[in-house]
Amino acid sequence: NALLPYFLNELEKTGVTKHLLWEEYQKDFPDGYRYTRFCHFLSTHKRQGDASMRMVFLPGEELQVDFAGSHLHYINQDTGEIVACEILVSAMPYSHFMHAVALRSQKQPEFIDGLVKAFNYLGAVPHLLKCDNLKSAVVRADRYTPEFTTAMEYFAEYYGTTAITARVRKPKDKASVERAVNICYMRIYAPLRHQTFYSLSELNHAILKQLDI
């Protein structure tokens, strides 16, 4: 067992295989484990090392926000143009309370307006506001000290909250809002798919009705 960390470290190196490590192990321990048993212990030890810590949230502590990958639309009555809208989704990890709003774009003014609408819908301001490394909120991404836009800093200061970002390629950091996006597809996108809207406000009114069901 004391050799398992060494073997796992060696497996990270180019060209090193389990079978090669077992052959080297056999030279030092001719009466040791056969290959299948050797692989079993390697896999078990790796799973233990990969175990992730359970994230615990407190009531009102954090609001996670992100844009859905798919759009909703309305029709401009003057031009007949189909206008695609970004959908900003917000979720509280502790209560799973969620909000969604259609915005004309992901640009900073629309993004901040969407956050205001989320706070108003929640009826409260969370201690932490966690977003992805969006250009509308973050100037420079960093694992520990991201640099937010001036408008985002003013927004957080005005509402007395703290803006933070999810770590890059760490989906568990914002698992609640990712789950909320999937719920939106089922509770909002699917029921509204055959309806036609002629303004952003009309679309958002329909979204709110679906949220309240």
Side-chain angles (χ1 to χ4, degrees):
N1 286 345
L3 291 173
L4 289 173
Y6 162 76
F7 288 139
L8 288 178
N9 185 62
E10 291 298 296
L11 274 176
E12 299 293 327
K13 298 179 180 178
T14 303
V16 177
T17 64
K18 291 180 181 179
H19 199 274
L20 174 63
L21 291 175
W22 176 74
E23 289 178 337
E24 294 174 353
Y25 163 78
Q26 280 283 295
K27 290 177 182 177
D28 293 329
F29 303 94
D31 298 325
Y33 297 116
R34 304 306 298 167
Y35 179 66
T36 301
R37 195 67 175 162
F38 177 84
C39 291
H40 166 75
F41 283 118
L42 267 184
S43 298
T44 301
H45 188 75
K46 186 177 187 303
R47 285 197 299 272
Q48 291 173 347
D50 289 343
S52 59
M53 182 179 67
R54 180 173 177 266
M55 300 184 76
V56 178
F57 297 96
L58 300 175
E61 178 185 29
E62 181 175 298
L63 179 69
Q64 298 179 5
V65 299
D66 200 3
F67 283 99
S70 300
H71 298 102
L72 289 175
H73 307 79
Y74 71 87
I75 296 176
N76 185 315
Q77 284 185 295
D78 295 328
T79 65
E81 175 191 7
I82 297 177
V83 182
C85 296
E86 302 283 351
I87 307 300
L88 181 65
V89 181
S90 309
M92 300 289 288
Y94 179 83
S95 63
H96 305 298
F97 196 64
M98 59 179 284
H99 175 257
V101 60
L103 305 174
R104 288 188 174 86
S105 74
Q106 292 191 19
K107 292 181 179 179
Q108 187 169 266
E110 284 82 5
F111 175 64
I112 289 179
D113 181 58
L115 295 179
V116 172
K117 286 182 168 61
F119 286 1
N120 289 337
Y121 184 78
L122 294 170
V125 175
H127 295 297
L128 299 173
L129 176 63
K130 180 181 283 185
C131 64
D132 217 336
N133 290 277
L134 306 166
K135 291 181 179 180
S136 49
V138 179
V139 175
R140 180 180 60 84
D142 184 271
R143 183 171 183 175
Y144 301 104
T145 56
E147 181 182 346
F148 289 93
T149 64
T150 301
M152 191 66 185
E153 289 180 348
Y154 284 154
F155 171 83
E157 182 179 353
Y158 178 82
Y159 280 96
T161 187
T162 300
I164 59 176
T165 62
R167 293 171 295 172
V168 178
R169 292 187 294 277
K170 295 291 182 180
K172 288 187 178 180
D173 277 9
K174 52 185 181 68
S176 293
V177 72
E178 291 192 352
R179 182 164 54 249
V181 168
N182 289 329
I183 293 172
C184 280
Y185 290 151
M186 293 183 289
R187 288 179 51 186
I188 297 174
Y189 283 65
L192 299 183
R193 69 189 187 280
H194 296 312
Q195 296 188 38
T196 302
F197 306 99
Y198 295 98
S199 69
L200 184 65
S201 60
E202 190 178 330
L203 173 58
N204 274 320
H205 180 70
I207 290 174
L208 284 175
K209 285 182 64 176
Q210 292 303 123
L211 284 173
D212 292 337
I213 291 176

